[in-house]
Amino acid sequence: MEDEDRYEEEPENEEINEESDGGSIGSEDYLSLIDKAPEWSVGVILYNGNAYPLAKSKYKRSEYYFSPSWRPVAKNVNGEVVVLRDGKVSKYKISRRGDKYLQVVLV
C-alpha cells in the first residue's frame, strides 16, 4: 500500500526530477523513478520525455513492453533508457509497434 501511495502522489514529485540538475537526470534520480513505479512493473522506460512503467514479455525472454497510454511515472524527464528494478540502466530499441503496446529490446 505504501508504494501505491507514492505512485498516486507523483505529480508533486515530478518537478524534483527535472530541476535536480538542469533537466538532466542522474543515476540517483533513476532509482527514485523506480520507487514511483507500480509493483507489477519490472522497471521504467524513458520515452518521449516521460517515464512509463515497463512490463516483461511473457512470450519472448529478452523483450519488454509498455504503452504510451499508461499513466507516466514522471513527466519531463530527459533520456532514452530503460531502468530495471535491479538498478541496471540500458539503452533500448523499439522492436515492434502494436495497436496497444510498444515492444522493447535492450541494447
Side-chain angles (χ1 to χ4, degrees):
M1 291 247 266
E2 184 178 321
D3 289 334
E4 290 174 7
D5 293 340
R6 281 188 276 175
Y7 185 61
E8 291 299 321
E9 295 172 5
E10 59 91 3
E12 295 174 14
N13 296 329
E14 287 172 5
E15 295 174 18
I16 295 170
N17 289 331
E18 61 184 295
E19 293 175 0
S20 61
D21 47 37
S24 65
I25 188 162
S27 59
E28 291 177 14
D29 291 327
Y30 286 143
L31 297 177
S32 71
L33 293 176
I34 294 292
D35 289 342
K36 294 180 197 176
E39 286 183 28
W40 55 261
S41 72
V42 296
V44 295
I45 182 167
L46 280 56
Y47 177 78
N48 283 348
N50 294 322
Y52 295 98
L54 188 68
K56 181 85 169 126
S57 173
K58 296 176 187 173
Y59 305 105
K60 289 196 175 182
R61 177 176 277 176
S62 62
E63 256 187 16
Y64 299 86
Y65 68 95
F66 77 101
S67 175
S69 65
W70 289 348
R71 182 175 156 205
V73 172
K75 296 181 180 179
N76 301 319
V77 182
N78 293 331
E80 295 280 326
V81 295
V82 165
V83 184
L84 299 177
R85 287 207 182 268
D86 64 5
K88 181 179 176 186
V89 178
S90 301
K91 293 193 181 253
Y92 65 86
K93 182 176 104 177
I94 304 290
S95 62
R96 286 191 312 269
R97 295 176 189 269
D99 291 340
K100 285 180 145 184
Y101 305 111
L102 282 81
Q103 303 295 325
V104 176
V105 179
L106 303 182
V107 284

Coordinates of all heavy atoms in Angstrom, one line a residue, residues 15-90:
E15 N 8.5 17.6 -10.5 CA 9.4 18.8 -10.7 C 10.8 18.5 -10.1 O 11.8 19.1 -10.6 CB 8.8 20.0 -10.1 CG 7.5 20.4 -10.8 CD 6.8 21.6 -10.1 OE1 7.4 22.3 -9.3 OE2 5.6 21.7 -10.3
I16 N 10.9 17.8 -9.1 CA 12.2 17.5 -8.5 C 13.1 16.8 -9.5 O 14.3 17.2 -9.6 CB 12.0 16.5 -7.2 CG1 11.2 17.3 -6.2 CG2 13.4 16.1 -6.7 CD1 10.8 16.4 -5.0
N17 N 12.6 15.9 -10.3 CA 13.5 15.2 -11.2 C 14.0 16.1 -12.3 O 15.1 16.0 -12.7 CB 12.7 14.0 -11.9 CG 12.4 12.9 -10.9 OD1 13.2 12.7 -10.0 ND2 11.4 12.2 -11.1
E18 N 13.2 17.0 -12.8 CA 13.6 17.8 -13.9 C 14.5 19.0 -13.5 O 15.3 19.5 -14.2 CB 12.4 18.3 -14.8 CG 11.4 19.2 -14.0 CD 10.3 19.5 -14.8 OE1 10.4 20.3 -15.8 OE2 9.2 19.1 -14.5
E19 N 14.4 19.4 -12.2 CA 15.1 20.5 -11.7 C 16.4 20.1 -11.0 O 17.3 21.0 -10.8 CB 14.3 21.4 -10.8 CG 13.1 22.0 -11.4 CD 12.2 22.7 -10.4 OE1 12.5 22.7 -9.2 OE2 11.2 23.3 -10.8
S20 N 16.6 18.9 -10.7 CA 17.7 18.4 -9.9 C 19.1 18.9 -10.5 O 19.9 19.4 -9.7 CB 17.7 16.9 -9.7 OG 17.8 16.3 -10.9
D21 N 19.3 18.7 -11.8 CA 20.5 19.3 -12.3 C 20.2 19.8 -13.8 O 20.7 19.3 -14.7 CB 21.7 18.5 -12.2 CG 21.6 17.0 -12.6 OD1 20.9 16.7 -13.6 OD2 22.2 16.2 -12.0
G22 N 19.3 20.8 -13.8 CA 19.1 21.4 -15.1 C 18.3 20.6 -16.1 O 18.5 20.8 -17.3
G23 N 17.5 19.7 -15.7 CA 16.7 18.9 -16.6 C 17.3 17.5 -16.9 O 16.7 16.7 -17.4
S24 N 18.6 17.4 -16.7 CA 19.2 16.0 -16.9 C 19.0 15.2 -15.7 O 18.7 15.7 -14.6 CB 20.7 16.1 -17.2 OG 21.4 16.6 -16.1
I25 N 19.0 13.9 -15.9 CA 18.7 13.0 -14.8 C 19.9 12.1 -14.4 O 20.6 11.6 -15.3 CB 17.5 12.2 -15.1 CG1 17.0 11.4 -13.9 CG2 17.7 11.3 -16.3 CD1 15.6 10.9 -14.0
G26 N 20.2 12.0 -13.2 CA 21.4 11.2 -12.7 C 20.9 9.8 -12.3 O 19.8 9.5 -12.2
S27 N 21.9 9.0 -11.9 CA 21.6 7.6 -11.5 C 20.8 7.6 -10.2 O 19.9 6.7 -10.1 CB 22.9 6.8 -11.4 OG 23.7 7.4 -10.4
E28 N 21.0 8.5 -9.3 CA 20.2 8.5 -8.1 C 18.7 8.8 -8.4 O 17.8 8.3 -7.8 CB 20.7 9.6 -7.1 CG 22.1 9.2 -6.5 CD 22.6 10.2 -5.6 OE1 21.9 11.2 -5.2 OE2 23.8 10.1 -5.3
D29 N 18.5 9.7 -9.4 CA 17.1 10.0 -9.8 C 16.5 8.9 -10.5 O 15.2 8.7 -10.4 CB 17.1 11.3 -10.7 CG 17.5 12.5 -10.0 OD1 17.2 12.6 -8.8 OD2 18.1 13.4 -10.6
Y30 N 17.2 8.0 -11.2 CA 16.7 6.8 -11.8 C 16.0 5.9 -10.7 O 14.9 5.4 -10.9 CB 17.7 6.0 -12.5 CG 18.2 6.6 -13.8 CD1 19.5 6.5 -14.2 CD2 17.3 7.2 -14.7 CE1 19.9 7.0 -15.4 CE2 17.7 7.7 -15.9 CZ 19.0 7.6 -16.3 OH 19.5 8.1 -17.5
L31 N 16.7 5.8 -9.6 CA 16.2 5.0 -8.5 C 14.9 5.6 -7.9 O 14.0 4.8 -7.6 CB 17.2 4.8 -7.4 CG 18.5 4.1 -7.8 CD1 19.5 4.0 -6.7 CD2 18.2 2.7 -8.3
S32 N 14.8 6.9 -7.9 CA 13.5 7.5 -7.4 C 12.4 7.2 -8.4 O 11.2 7.1 -8.0 CB 13.7 9.0 -7.2 OG 13.8 9.7 -8.4
L33 N 12.7 7.1 -9.7 CA 11.7 6.8 -10.7 C 11.2 5.3 -10.4 O 10.0 5.1 -10.5 CB 12.2 6.9 -12.1 CG 12.5 8.3 -12.6 CD1 13.2 8.2 -14.0 CD2 11.3 9.2 -12.6
I34 N 12.1 4.4 -10.1 CA 11.7 3.0 -9.8 C 10.8 3.0 -8.6 O 9.8 2.2 -8.6 CB 13.0 2.2 -9.6 CG1 13.8 2.1 -10.9 CG2 12.6 0.8 -9.0 CD1 13.1 1.3 -12.0
D35 N 11.1 3.8 -7.6 CA 10.3 3.8 -6.4 C 8.9 4.3 -6.7 O 7.9 3.8 -6.0 CB 10.9 4.8 -5.4 CG 12.2 4.2 -4.7 OD1 12.4 3.0 -4.8 OD2 12.9 5.0 -4.2
K36 N 8.7 5.1 -7.7 CA 7.3 5.6 -8.1 C 6.6 4.6 -9.0 O 5.4 4.7 -9.1 CB 7.4 6.9 -8.8 CG 8.0 8.0 -8.0 CD 8.0 9.2 -8.8 CE 8.9 10.3 -8.2 NZ 9.0 11.5 -9.1
A37 N 7.3 3.6 -9.5 CA 6.6 2.7 -10.5 C 5.7 1.7 -9.7 O 6.0 1.4 -8.6 CB 7.7 1.9 -11.2
P38 N 4.6 1.3 -10.4 CA 3.8 0.3 -9.7 C 4.5 -1.0 -9.5 O 5.5 -1.3 -10.1 CB 2.6 0.1 -10.7 CG 3.1 0.8 -12.0 CD 4.2 1.7 -11.7
E39 N 4.0 -1.8 -8.5 CA 4.6 -3.0 -8.1 C 4.8 -4.0 -9.2 O 5.7 -4.8 -9.3 CB 3.9 -3.6 -6.9 CG 4.1 -2.9 -5.6 CD 3.4 -3.6 -4.5 OE1 3.3 -4.8 -4.5 OE2 3.1 -2.9 -3.5
W40 N 3.8 -4.1 -10.1 CA 3.8 -5.1 -11.2 C 4.9 -4.8 -12.2 O 5.3 -5.7 -13.0 CB 2.5 -5.2 -11.9 CG 1.9 -3.8 -12.4 CD1 1.0 -3.0 -11.8 CD2 2.3 -3.2 -13.6 NE1 0.8 -1.9 -12.6 CE2 1.6 -2.0 -13.7 CE3 3.2 -3.5 -14.7 CZ2 1.7 -1.1 -14.8 CZ3 3.3 -2.7 -15.8 CH2 2.5 -1.5 -15.8
S41 N 5.4 -3.6 -12.3 CA 6.4 -3.3 -13.3 C 7.8 -3.8 -13.0 O 8.2 -3.9 -11.8 CB 6.5 -1.8 -13.6 OG 7.1 -1.1 -12.5
V42 N 8.6 -4.1 -14.0 CA 9.9 -4.6 -13.8 C 10.9 -3.4 -13.9 O 12.1 -3.6 -13.7 CB 10.3 -5.6 -14.9 CG1 9.5 -6.9 -14.7 CG2 10.3 -5.1 -16.3
G43 N 10.4 -2.2 -14.2 CA 11.3 -1.0 -14.3 C 10.5 0.1 -14.9 O 9.3 0.1 -15.0
V44 N 11.3 1.1 -15.4 CA 10.6 2.2 -16.1 C 11.4 2.4 -17.5 O 12.6 2.1 -17.6 CB 10.6 3.5 -15.3 CG1 9.8 3.4 -14.1 CG2 12.0 3.9 -14.9
I45 N 10.7 3.0 -18.4 CA 11.3 3.4 -19.7 C 11.1 4.9 -19.9 O 10.1 5.4 -19.7 CB 10.7 2.6 -20.8 CG1 11.4 2.9 -22.2 CG2 9.2 2.7 -20.9 CD1 11.1 2.0 -23.3
L46 N 12.2 5.5 -20.2 CA 12.2 7.0 -20.5 C 11.9 7.1 -22.0 O 12.8 6.7 -22.8 CB 13.5 7.7 -20.1 CG 13.6 8.0 -18.7 CD1 13.5 6.8 -17.8 CD2 14.9 8.7 -18.4
Y47 N 10.7 7.6 -22.4 CA 10.3 7.6 -23.8 C 9.6 8.9 -24.0 O 8.6 9.2 -23.3 CB 9.4 6.4 -24.0 CG 8.8 6.3 -25.4 CD1 9.6 5.9 -26.5 CD2 7.5 6.7 -25.7 CE1 9.1 5.8 -27.8 CE2 7.0 6.6 -26.9 CZ 7.7 6.2 -28.0 OH 7.2 6.1 -29.2
N48 N 10.0 9.6 -25.0 CA 9.3 10.9 -25.4 C 9.1 11.9 -24.3 O 8.1 12.5 -24.1 CB 8.0 10.6 -26.1 CG 8.2 10.2 -27.5 OD1 9.2 10.3 -28.1 ND2 7.1 9.7 -28.1
G49 N 10.1 12.0 -23.4 CA 10.1 12.9 -22.3 C 9.3 12.5 -21.1 O 9.2 13.3 -20.1
N50 N 8.8 11.3 -21.1 CA 8.1 10.7 -19.9 C 8.7 9.4 -19.5 O 9.4 8.7 -20.3 CB 6.6 10.5 -20.2 CG 5.9 11.8 -20.5 OD1 6.2 12.8 -19.9 ND2 5.0 11.8 -21.5
A51 N 8.5 9.0 -18.2 CA 8.9 7.8 -17.7 C 7.7 6.9 -17.5 O 6.8 7.3 -16.7 CB 9.7 7.9 -16.4
Y52 N 7.6 5.8 -18.2 CA 6.5 4.9 -18.1 C 6.9 3.6 -17.4 O 8.0 3.1 -17.5 CB 6.0 4.5 -19.6 CG 5.5 5.7 -20.3 CD1 6.2 6.4 -21.3 CD2 4.1 6.1 -20.1 CE1 5.8 7.4 -22.0 CE2 3.7 7.2 -20.9 CZ 4.4 7.8 -21.8 OH 4.0 8.9 -22.5
P53 N 5.9 2.9 -16.8 CA 6.2 1.6 -16.2 C 6.5 0.6 -17.4 O 6.0 0.8 -18.5 CB 4.8 1.2 -15.6 CG 4.0 2.4 -15.5 CD 4.5 3.4 -16.5
L54 N 7.3 -0.4 -17.1 CA 7.7 -1.3 -18.1 C 7.4 -2.7 -17.6 O 7.6 -3.0 -16.4 CB 9.2 -1.2 -18.3 CG 9.9 -2.0 -19.4 CD1 9.5 -1.5 -20.7 CD2 11.4 -2.0 -19.3
A55 N 6.9 -3.6 -18.5 CA 6.5 -4.9 -18.2 C 7.3 -5.9 -19.0 O 7.8 -5.6 -20.1 CB 5.0 -5.2 -18.5
K56 N 7.6 -7.1 -18.4 CA 8.3 -8.1 -19.1 C 7.4 -9.0 -20.0 O 6.3 -9.3 -19.6 CB 9.0 -9.0 -18.0 CG 9.8 -10.1 -18.5 CD 11.2 -9.6 -18.8 CE 12.1 -10.8 -19.1 NZ 12.9 -10.7 -20.3
S57 N 7.8 -9.2 -21.2 CA 7.1 -10.0 -22.1 C 7.0 -11.5 -21.6 O 8.0 -12.1 -21.2 CB 7.7 -10.0 -23.5 OG 7.0 -10.9 -24.4
K58 N 5.8 -12.1 -21.8 CA 5.6 -13.5 -21.4 C 6.1 -14.4 -22.6 O 6.3 -15.6 -22.4 CB 4.2 -13.8 -21.1 CG 3.6 -13.1 -19.9 CD 2.2 -13.4 -19.7 CE 1.6 -12.5 -18.6 NZ 0.1 -12.6 -18.5
Y59 N 6.2 -13.8 -23.8 CA 6.4 -14.6 -25.0 C 7.8 -14.6 -25.4 O 8.3 -15.6 -26.0 CB 5.5 -14.1 -26.1 CG 4.0 -14.1 -25.7 CD1 3.4 -12.9 -25.3 CD2 3.3 -15.3 -25.5 CE1 2.1 -12.9 -24.9 CE2 2.0 -15.3 -25.1 CZ 1.4 -14.1 -24.8 OH 0.1 -14.1 -24.4
K60 N 8.6 -13.6 -25.2 CA 10.0 -13.5 -25.6 C 10.8 -13.1 -24.4 O 10.6 -12.1 -23.8 CB 10.2 -12.5 -26.8 CG 9.6 -13.0 -28.1 CD 10.2 -12.2 -29.2 CE 9.7 -12.7 -30.5 NZ 10.2 -12.0 -31.6
R61 N 11.8 -14.0 -24.1 CA 12.6 -13.8 -22.9 C 13.3 -12.4 -22.9 O 13.4 -11.8 -21.8 CB 13.6 -14.9 -22.8 CG 14.5 -14.8 -21.7 CD 15.4 -16.0 -21.6 NE 14.7 -17.0 -20.9 CZ 15.2 -18.3 -20.7 NH1 16.4 -18.6 -21.2 NH2 14.5 -19.2 -20.1
S62 N 13.8 -12.0 -24.0 CA 14.6 -10.7 -24.0 C 13.8 -9.5 -24.3 O 14.3 -8.4 -24.5 CB 15.7 -10.9 -25.0 OG 15.2 -11.0 -26.3
E63 N 12.4 -9.6 -24.3 CA 11.6 -8.4 -24.7 C 10.8 -7.9 -23.5 O 10.5 -8.6 -22.6 CB 10.6 -8.8 -25.8 CG 11.1 -8.2 -27.1 CD 10.0 -8.4 -28.2 OE1 8.9 -8.7 -27.9 OE2 10.4 -8.3 -29.4
Y64 N 10.6 -6.6 -23.6 CA 9.7 -5.9 -22.6 C 8.7 -5.1 -23.4 O 8.8 -5.0 -24.6 CB 10.6 -4.9 -21.8 CG 11.7 -5.5 -21.0 CD1 12.9 -5.8 -21.6 CD2 11.5 -5.9 -19.7 CE1 13.9 -6.4 -20.9 CE2 12.5 -6.5 -19.0 CZ 13.7 -6.7 -19.6 OH 14.7 -7.3 -18.9
Y65 N 7.7 -4.6 -22.7 CA 6.7 -3.8 -23.4 C 6.1 -2.7 -22.5 O 6.2 -2.8 -21.3 CB 5.6 -4.7 -24.0 CG 4.7 -5.3 -22.9 CD1 3.5 -4.7 -22.5 CD2 5.0 -6.5 -22.3 CE1 2.7 -5.3 -21.6 CE2 4.2 -7.1 -21.4 CZ 3.0 -6.5 -21.0 OH 2.3 -7.1 -20.1
F66 N 5.5 -1.7 -23.1 CA 4.9 -0.6 -22.4 C 3.9 0.0 -23.4 O 3.9 -0.3 -24.6 CB 5.9 0.4 -21.9 CG 6.4 1.4 -22.9 CD1 5.9 2.6 -23.0 CD2 7.4 1.0 -23.8 CE1 6.4 3.5 -24.0 CE2 7.9 1.8 -24.8 CZ 7.4 3.1 -24.9
S67 N 3.1 0.9 -22.8 CA 2.1 1.7 -23.7 C 2.2 3.1 -23.3 O 2.1 3.5 -22.1 CB 0.7 1.2 -23.4 OG -0.2 2.0 -24.1
P68 N 2.3 4.0 -24.3 CA 2.3 5.4 -24.1 C 1.0 5.9 -23.5 O 0.9 7.0 -23.0 CB 2.6 6.1 -25.4 CG 3.2 5.0 -26.2 CD 2.6 3.7 -25.7
S69 N 0.0 5.1 -23.6 CA -1.3 5.5 -23.0 C -1.4 5.2 -21.5 O -2.3 5.7 -20.8 CB -2.5 4.7 -23.7 OG -2.4 3.3 -23.4
W70 N -0.4 4.4 -20.9 CA -0.3 4.2 -19.5 C 0.0 5.5 -18.8 O 0.7 6.4 -19.4 CB 0.7 3.2 -19.1 CG 0.4 1.8 -19.5 CD1 -0.9 1.3 -19.9 CD2 1.3 0.7 -19.6 NE1 -0.8 0.0 -20.2 CE2 0.5 -0.4 -20.0 CE3 2.6 0.5 -19.3 CZ2 1.1 -1.7 -20.1 CZ3 3.1 -0.7 -19.4 CH2 2.4 -1.8 -19.8
R71 N -0.4 5.7 -17.6 CA 0.0 6.9 -16.8 C 1.5 6.9 -16.5 O 2.0 6.0 -16.0 CB -0.8 6.8 -15.5 CG -0.6 8.0 -14.6 CD -1.5 7.9 -13.4 NE -0.8 8.7 -12.4 CZ -1.0 8.5 -11.1 NH1 -1.8 7.6 -10.7 NH2 -0.4 9.3 -10.3
P72 N 2.1 8.0 -16.9 CA 3.6 8.1 -16.7 C 3.9 8.2 -15.2 O 3.1 8.7 -14.4 CB 3.9 9.4 -17.3 CG 2.8 9.9 -18.1 CD 1.6 9.2 -17.6
V73 N 5.0 7.6 -14.9 CA 5.6 7.6 -13.5 C 6.1 9.1 -13.2 O 6.0 9.6 -12.1 CB 6.7 6.6 -13.4 CG1 7.4 6.7 -12.0 CG2 6.1 5.2 -13.5
A74 N 6.7 9.7 -14.3 CA 7.2 11.1 -14.2 C 7.1 11.7 -15.6 O 7.2 11.0 -16.6 CB 8.6 11.1 -13.6
K75 N 7.0 13.0 -15.6 CA 6.9 13.7 -16.9 C 8.1 14.6 -17.0 O 8.8 15.0 -16.0 CB 5.6 14.5 -17.0 CG 4.4 13.7 -17.0 CD 3.2 14.5 -17.1 CE 1.9 13.6 -17.1 NZ 0.7 14.4 -17.2
N76 N 8.4 15.1 -18.2 CA 9.5 16.0 -18.5 C 10.9 15.5 -18.0 O 11.6 16.1 -17.3 CB 9.2 17.4 -17.9 CG 8.0 18.0 -18.4 OD1 7.7 17.9 -19.6 ND2 7.2 18.6 -17.5
V77 N 11.1 14.2 -18.3 CA 12.4 13.5 -17.9 C 13.2 13.3 -19.2 O 12.7 12.8 -20.2 CB 12.1 12.2 -17.3 CG1 13.4 11.5 -16.8 CG2 11.1 12.4 -16.1
N78 N 14.4 13.8 -19.2 CA 15.3 13.6 -20.3 C 15.9 12.2 -20.3 O 16.2 11.7 -19.3 CB 16.4 14.7 -20.3 CG 15.9 16.1 -20.5 OD1 14.9 16.2 -21.2 ND2 16.6 17.0 -20.0
G79 N 16.2 11.7 -21.5 CA 16.9 10.4 -21.6 C 16.1 9.5 -22.5 O 14.9 9.7 -22.8
E80 N 16.8 8.4 -23.0 CA 16.2 7.4 -23.8 C 16.8 6.1 -23.3 O 17.5 5.4 -23.9 CB 16.6 7.6 -25.3 CG 16.0 8.8 -25.9 CD 14.5 8.7 -26.3 OE1 14.1 7.6 -26.7 OE2 13.8 9.7 -26.2
V81 N 16.4 5.7 -22.0 CA 16.9 4.5 -21.4 C 15.8 3.7 -20.7 O 14.8 4.2 -20.4 CB 18.1 4.8 -20.4 CG1 19.3 5.4 -21.1 CG2 17.6 5.7 -19.3
V82 N 16.2 2.5 -20.4 CA 15.3 1.6 -19.6 C 16.1 1.5 -18.2 O 17.3 1.3 -18.2 CB 15.1 0.2 -20.2 CG1 14.6 -0.8 -19.2 CG2 14.2 0.3 -21.4
V83 N 15.3 1.6 -17.1 CA 15.9 1.4 -15.8 C 15.1 0.2 -15.2 O 13.9 0.3 -14.9 CB 15.8 2.7 -14.9 CG1 16.4 2.5 -13.6 CG2 16.3 3.9 -15.7
L84 N 15.9 -0.9 -14.9 CA 15.2 -2.0 -14.3 C 15.3 -1.9 -12.8 O 16.1 -1.2 -12.2 CB 15.9 -3.3 -14.8 CG 15.9 -3.5 -16.3 CD1 16.6 -4.8 -16.7 CD2 14.4 -3.7 -16.8
R85 N 14.5 -2.7 -12.1 CA 14.4 -2.6 -10.6 C 15.7 -3.0 -10.0 O 16.0 -2.6 -8.9 CB 13.3 -3.6 -10.1 CG 11.9 -3.0 -10.4 CD 10.9 -3.5 -9.4 NE 9.6 -3.0 -9.6 CZ 9.2 -1.9 -9.1 NH1 9.9 -1.2 -8.3 NH2 7.9 -1.4 -9.4
D86 N 16.5 -3.8 -10.6 CA 17.8 -4.2 -10.1 C 18.9 -3.1 -10.2 O 20.0 -3.3 -9.8 CB 18.3 -5.5 -10.7 CG 18.6 -5.4 -12.1 OD1 18.6 -4.3 -12.7 OD2 19.0 -6.5 -12.7
G87 N 18.5 -2.0 -10.8 CA 19.4 -0.8 -10.9 C 20.1 -0.8 -12.3 O 20.8 0.2 -12.5
K88 N 19.9 -1.8 -13.1 CA 20.6 -1.8 -14.4 C 19.9 -0.7 -15.3 O 18.7 -0.6 -15.4 CB 20.4 -3.2 -15.0 CG 21.1 -3.3 -16.4 CD 20.9 -4.7 -16.9 CE 21.5 -4.8 -18.3 NZ 21.2 -6.1 -18.9
V89 N 20.8 0.1 -16.0 CA 20.3 1.1 -16.9 C 20.9 0.7 -18.3 O 22.1 0.5 -18.5 CB 20.9 2.5 -16.5 CG1 20.5 3.6 -17.5 CG2 20.4 2.9 -15.1
S90 N 20.0 0.6 -19.3 CA 20.3 0.2 -20.6 C 19.6 1.1 -21.6 O 18.5 1.6 -21.4 CB 19.9 -1.2 -20.9 OG 20.5 -2.1 -20.0

